Amino acid sequence: MKFSHQLLLLLVVCAGVAVTSCKKKKTEVAWVQDFSIIGSQSSPRAADLNLDGVLDIVMGAGKNEYQKSEFGVMALDGKTGELLWRQETTDQVFGSATLYDVNGDQVPDVFIGGRSPHLRALDGKTGEVIWAYNHELYHQDSILQYARFNFYNSVLVPDQNGDGLKDLLIVNGGNSKVEPFSTSNRFPGVLMLMDTKTGEILAADTMPDGKESYMSPIAFQQPGSNDVIILFGTGGETISGSLYATTLADLKGRQLAKANVLATEIDHGFIAPPSVADITGDGFYDVVAISHASSIFAIDGKTEKPIWTKKIEDSESSNSFAVGYFTDDSVPDFFTFVSRGAWPENTGSVQVMLDGQTGEIAYLAEMGCTGFSSPVVYDLNDDGIDEAIISINEFDCAEGFVNKKSSEILTKLVAINFTDKSVIPIDQLNGFKNIFSTPHIGDMDSDGYLDIVHCQYFNPTSDLMVFLGMKIKRISTGIEMDNPVRWGAYMGSNGDGVFEGK
């Protein structure tokens, strides 16, 4: 059964934010695809899967936790919104896809993780399984016996086994059945290197401190270096943890114990993946990370020493930074939102932008209630200063996140103009929410105009975690794209957390 379309389109960028760039094309909804029963904590990725010249959408989905679903992973036609293929799973697939062609058909294949544990490589053209991780094979392995929980987002690393294909770096960890604050039945997270073509595990090691891990790893190379640097994190909402840096060589040698500690937080860990960008102007990538306690660390990529630190008091964060040029200098800046209160009774949401050069707060606002999606970034009005696009959920925040009693909820997609501090509505829908999904922005059909793909989730009850149906929308805007999108999806346009500057 499909929902009736209750669209209230409020995209007024052509009347406000982007006056000069919206004269040639009308902004309109290109398509809306409705799904009953299911929902998602995944974020959309885009690639041309049917070779029609238009980027298609891939994302994880599912029913409620621990339930089997015929729609665990799905691909939608970017031109029409129609379903291209689906893949059934035994539990929710909350990861966002890594896209890479391993079967040589010129179509990116899909690598995507989730609960129970789910990790599969799927043929991008058909959705058929190329390989699937089976944790039952590793019960006697001293390391891999712990890789039986959740798989998070993966990233690609250079070929390590000589087959000519990039390999996959991913973390498994986090026992979702453990109660908050409990220290029982918590097991060390496992960092894993896998062959993209076969799923063979090339290397694996447990976290240096023996803690769980919920953080998707980041991998990058400094200019002029052959070493692959890996960033990973430990701890959770109520468990202490650290942010680490290691190398791919040390992972292959099962030497994560040698990893350098970049930052540590007590009674909280590092959940959100860090962002990597050059903020010192020395040509080296630096690291900006936020702990679950909303402590923010800017770390010099050359020396691994602190550049600046900041803390957003009385808040918590599981949200990644989006990176853009939000101030009037050439140094990348950082924007995210944090939650008021303490997990699992968070109340309220605070939007924060930090000047990348100084670490000072350059924008602070309080809109909506707790959510865990991340922003995307583009200069909508072509004034040289980027705007951020984010999802906002409005309900009675004082009721908390877990024990919310009211069923009244409104979800909004808005853009923030940091120059004049204005908030521009794009889309909104009563009775729907978006707690986890980051939008995707880019030129899907190569017409020179920005497209926005975002998700809305049916919420007739008071339980924010229940999946009861979803909408996926593509909005075709009248915003001319004079510049590339540098941060257009979760963990950036390439899904790897690395910001390529001007």
Side-chain angles (χ1 to χ4, degrees):
M1 179 184 296
K2 291 188 175 181
F3 300 113
S4 61
H5 292 175
Q6 303 177 33
L7 177 67
L8 175 58
L9 182 64
L10 296 179
L11 187 65
V12 295
V13 287
C14 292
V17 173
V19 175
T20 61
S21 61
C22 290
K23 296 178 180 178
K24 298 180 181 179
K25 183 184 175 186
K26 179 183 177 182
T27 293
E28 58 187 355
V29 176
W31 50 259
V32 181
Q33 183 61 269
D34 294 308
F35 296 93
S36 61
I37 303 174
I38 65 169
S40 181
Q41 298 178 8
S42 176
S43 298
R45 299 286 198 217
D48 187 1
L49 303 179
N50 57 5
L51 300 179
D52 66 352
V54 178
L55 298 181
D56 306 304
I57 295 299
V58 179
M59 63 185 298
K63 294 184 180 179
N64 294 311
E65 199 167 352
Y66 314 122
Q67 292 182 349
K68 181 179 178 180
S69 174
E70 295 180 353
F71 291 85
V73 187
M74 55 189 179
L76 275 63
D77 188 308
K79 185 182 294 185
T80 66
E82 293 301 311
L83 190 70
L84 294 176
W85 52 257
R86 59 180 171 81
Q87 179 63 236
E88 71 175 19
T89 56
T90 59
D91 207 337
Q92 296 171 346
V93 178
F94 58 72
S96 299
T98 295
L99 302 169
Y100 182 60
D101 179 17
V102 293
N103 59 13
D105 65 357
Q106 309 306 309
V107 174
D109 300 305
V110 176
F111 303 84
I112 193 163
R115 303 187 191 278
S116 288
H118 171 98
L119 178 60
R120 290 180 185 172
L122 306 176
D123 186 303
K125 187 180 293 185
T126 66
E128 294 178 358
V129 177
I130 299 173
W131 55 258
Y133 174 78
N134 181 3
H135 71 285
E136 301 287 349
L137 300 176
Y138 306 107
H139 282 178
Q140 303 303 315
D141 189 283
S142 61
I143 300 294
L144 294 173
Q145 63 174 310
Y146 300 112
R148 62 183 189 271
F149 299 105
N150 302 327
F151 278 106
Y152 301 95
N153 286 9
S154 59
V155 291
L156 296 169
V157 296
D159 178 21
Q160 298 299 303
N161 62 350
D163 66 355
L165 296 171
K166 294 180 181 180
D167 294 310
L168 203 69
L169 186 71
I170 197 165
V171 161
N172 182 282
N175 185 355
S176 61
K177 295 182 179 180
V178 176
E179 292 295 321
F181 301 102
S182 172
T183 57
S184 300
N185 295 314
R186 294 187 183 272
F187 302 96
V190 182
L191 183 62
M192 303 167 65
L193 175 68
M194 306 181 75
D195 185 324
T196 50
K197 189 172 185 178
T198 66
E200 177 189 357
I201 298 172
L202 304 177
D205 203 359
T206 52
M207 298 293 106
D209 56 5
K211 300 290 182 65
E212 59 200 61
S213 181
Y214 298 94
M215 177 188 285
S216 300
I218 302 293
F220 64 98
Q221 292 174 276
Q222 294 287 13
S225 174
N226 292 322
D227 292 335
V228 178
I229 298 170
I230 300 173
L231 305 176
F232 62 96
T234 64
E237 291 94 346
T238 60
I239 301 294
S240 302
S242 296
L243 176 69
Y244 292 90
T246 190
T247 64
L248 190 55
D250 278 349
L251 171 61
K252 291 171 68 176
R254 287 194 171 184
Q255 295 293 315
L256 284 194
K258 295 168 55 178
N260 295 330
V261 177
L262 301 182
T264 296
E265 193 73 74
I266 304 300
D267 296 329
H268 299 265
F270 287 78
I271 294 175
S275 299
V276 175
D278 180 8
I279 62 173
T280 59
D282 64 357
F284 286 81
Y285 289 118
D286 306 303
V287 177
V288 177
I290 185 168
S291 74
H292 188 259
S294 296
S295 297
I296 303 165
F297 304 86
I299 300 157
D300 190 296
K302 195 174 184 179
T303 66
E304 294 190 349
K305 303 296 183 184
I307 301 170
W308 49 256
T309 60
K310 198 72 175 180
K311 185 174 178 62
I312 312 301
E313 300 292 344
D314 303 317
S315 71
E316 297 178 344
S317 180
S318 299
N319 304 60
S320 294
F321 279 112
V323 189
Y325 296 102
F326 305 130
T327 58
D328 59 358
D329 59 32
S330 60
V331 180
D333 307 302
F334 301 84
F335 175 71
T336 192
F337 45 107
V338 299
S339 298
R340 289 294 188 200
W343 174 264
E345 294 299 331
N346 295 117
T347 59
S349 181
V350 181
Q351 293 73 38
V352 184
M353 187 267 283
L354 287 89
D355 186 305
Q357 187 171 30
T358 66
E360 294 303 310
I361 295 175
Y363 175 88
L364 187 71
E366 296 197 28
M367 292 185 288
C369 305
T370 300
F372 304 107
S373 62
S374 295
V376 291
V377 175
Y378 193 68
D379 182 4
L380 298 172
N381 58 359
D382 199 25
D383 66 350
I385 306 295
D386 290 328
E387 283 75 44
I389 297 174
I390 61 171
S391 289
I392 299 292
N393 297 290
E394 294 184 352
F395 52 88
D396 187 349
C397 301
E399 292 183 347
F401 177 73
V402 174
N403 296 317
K404 188 176 78 72
K405 300 179 179 63
S406 171
S407 62
E408 295 182 3
I409 192 168
L410 168 70
T411 188
K412 294 180 178 180
L413 188 70
V414 303
I416 298 177
N417 185 326
F418 295 109
T419 302
D420 62 9
K421 308 297 190 293
S422 60
V423 177
I424 301 93
I426 297 173
D427 190 14
Q428 74 176 47
L429 195 56
N430 284 299
F432 282 71
K433 63 190 175 187
N434 177 25
I435 306 299
F436 295 99
S437 294
T438 296
H440 175 276
I441 61 174
D443 185 358
M444 293 184 63
D445 52 8
S446 301
D447 68 349
Y449 293 87
L450 187 73
D451 296 294
I452 301 171
V453 175
H454 76 115
C455 303
Q456 298 164 320
Y457 301 95
F458 190 44
N459 196 87
T461 73
S462 60
D463 192 337
L464 290 175
M465 300 300 290
V466 169
F467 289 172
L468 292 170
M470 62 184 288
K471 292 177 180 286
I472 305 175
K473 293 181 181 178
R474 174 187 163 195
I475 298 174
S476 177
T477 81
I479 299 171
E480 292 186 64
M481 295 185 61
D482 296 325
N483 298 296
V485 176
R486 295 188 181 90
W487 202 271
Y490 181 60
M491 294 176 63
S493 295
N494 296 321
D496 58 6
V498 178
F499 178 77
E500 301 289 350
K502 295 179 180 177

